[in-house]
Amino acid sequence: MTLSADEKLPLTAHLEELRKRFVHVLIALAIGFTLCYTFKEELFRIVTLPLIEVMPKNSFMVFTSLPEAFFTYMKVSFFAALILTSPYILLEIWKFISPGLYPQEKKYVFPFVFLSTLLFSAGVLFGYFVALPPAFKFFISFSSEFLKPMVTMREYLGLALKLLLAFGLCFELPVFVFFLAKIGVVNARMLSTQRRYAILLIFIAAAVLTPSPDLISQLLMAGPLLVLYEISILVARFAVRKPRAGRKKVPVEESREVSESGPAATGEQDE
């Protein structure tokens, strides 16, 4: 759907376009879920590897209700389908918002889809390989001869998916900052001057999101966020639209005065 600069879609057209994109996303998720559910046991084993490696020998997981295993496999399949179809979902999101962008801004479609997918996948992989193993090792360390861990499928999957999703979304920070800078909510100077508060918020978020209270796990999450924040400052500087060469930016107040007094001033000069 292409529109000229002066055309505006009515609300019903926006809702129809949103419904169309939403249906496309649901179809993609359904296809991805069907594919992933055929490998549900392999996917669940991959998700539980960080815990299996630190559990005592002859340990096993349990399910405490009859439908628990079924719903756990469904959650794993849905999460895997979400990652598998994320490039297409991001593309559909872009198609919905692109009619409201300038032509020179629409060229960012490929970088947006590629970088968003790359950063989200990097966050999930970082959480899986770096953050989860020491966290689970910390929790399992409380086991003893008389105290044995008995982890249920539902509890483990809920904790693991929550953390992996949190890492994936946190790694999307540069993408979020890019669009916030594009619409004028933030800029590079603001992010630089507020760095000290951002560092404080990052460590608070790391303390809340990490499952274990030890300092190492919190640093493992805060470290990448600090790096991503500095990258976001560069992204915000790049995202700010620069005026074209040869054109001088006129303040809004001055332009209003000129527009209001223009005809009168011209008439006085003619007299």
Side-chain angles (χ1 to χ4, degrees):
M1 183 180 298
T2 57
L3 296 173
S4 63
D6 297 330
E7 287 186 71
K8 292 184 178 179
L9 283 174
L11 179 60
T12 54
H14 281 294
L15 294 177
E16 178 62 25
E17 183 69 12
L18 179 61
R19 186 195 66 83
K20 176 183 175 182
R21 301 302 171 192
F22 186 69
V23 170
H24 290 175
V25 169
L26 287 181
I27 294 174
L29 280 175
I31 296 173
F33 175 81
T34 304
L35 178 63
C36 293
Y37 191 77
T38 58
F39 303 98
K40 57 184 182 300
E41 295 181 359
E42 292 80 2
L43 291 173
F44 183 75
R45 181 170 180 81
I46 292 174
V47 173
T48 56
L49 274 179
L51 177 64
I52 294 175
E53 292 179 352
V54 297
M55 287 185 70
K57 292 183 178 180
N58 301 323
S59 298
F60 49 85
M61 300 185 71
V62 298
F63 58 95
T64 57
S65 62
L66 290 178
E68 182 177 336
F70 170 72
F71 285 114
T72 300
Y73 284 138
M74 289 192 67
K75 290 179 181 179
V76 171
S77 302
F78 178 78
F79 186 76
L82 189 63
I83 296 178
L84 181 65
T85 59
S86 58
Y88 181 78
I89 294 175
L90 293 170
L91 181 62
E92 289 294 323
I93 294 174
W94 182 269
K95 287 181 178 180
F96 177 72
I97 65 176
S98 60
L101 301 177
Y102 291 100
Q104 62 270 21
E105 294 172 340
K106 294 181 180 180
K107 64 183 180 181
Y108 296 118
V109 56
F110 178 75
F112 168 74
V113 174
F114 176 75
L115 291 177
S116 297
T117 305
L118 180 64
L119 289 173
F120 184 83
S121 302
V124 172
L125 292 176
F126 180 87
Y128 180 83
F129 287 105
V130 180
L132 291 188
F136 293 149
K137 186 176 181 180
F138 172 80
F139 289 126
I140 296 298
S141 64
F142 290 97
S143 62
S144 62
E145 183 179 353
F146 300 100
L147 186 63
K148 300 297 182 182
M150 185 172 292
V151 185
T152 65
M153 297 174 67
R154 182 183 66 253
E155 291 175 350
Y156 171 80
L157 185 66
L159 177 62
L161 293 187
K162 185 188 301 181
L163 291 173
L164 294 177
L165 184 62
F167 275 100
L169 293 177
C170 287
F171 272 58
E172 296 282 357
L173 181 62
V175 178
F176 294 149
V177 170
F178 176 83
F179 284 99
L180 291 176
K182 273 293 183 183
I183 63 178
V185 176
V186 300
N187 55 56
R189 183 178 180 182
M190 180 193 302
L191 295 175
S192 298
T193 55
Q194 303 298 325
R195 182 183 281 108
R196 65 182 68 178
Y197 301 107
I199 294 175
L200 177 61
L201 291 176
I202 286 173
F203 276 96
I204 292 176
V208 172
L209 294 176
T210 49
S212 58
D214 61 294
L215 181 61
I216 296 178
S217 298
Q218 296 177 13
L219 289 177
L220 287 175
M221 186 168 192
L225 288 179
L226 292 174
V227 175
L228 290 170
Y229 186 82
E230 297 299 326
I231 295 176
S232 299
I233 296 177
L234 301 177
V235 170
R237 186 175 293 115
F238 169 78
V240 174
R241 189 185 305 151
K242 298 180 180 179
R244 295 180 182 178
R247 294 184 61 184
K248 186 177 180 180
K249 193 174 182 180
V250 181
V252 177
E253 293 79 4
E254 183 179 344
S255 62
R256 287 177 179 173
E257 294 176 1
V258 172
S259 61
E260 291 176 357
S261 61
T266 305
E268 291 175 0
Q269 291 177 0
D270 291 342
E271 291 177 358

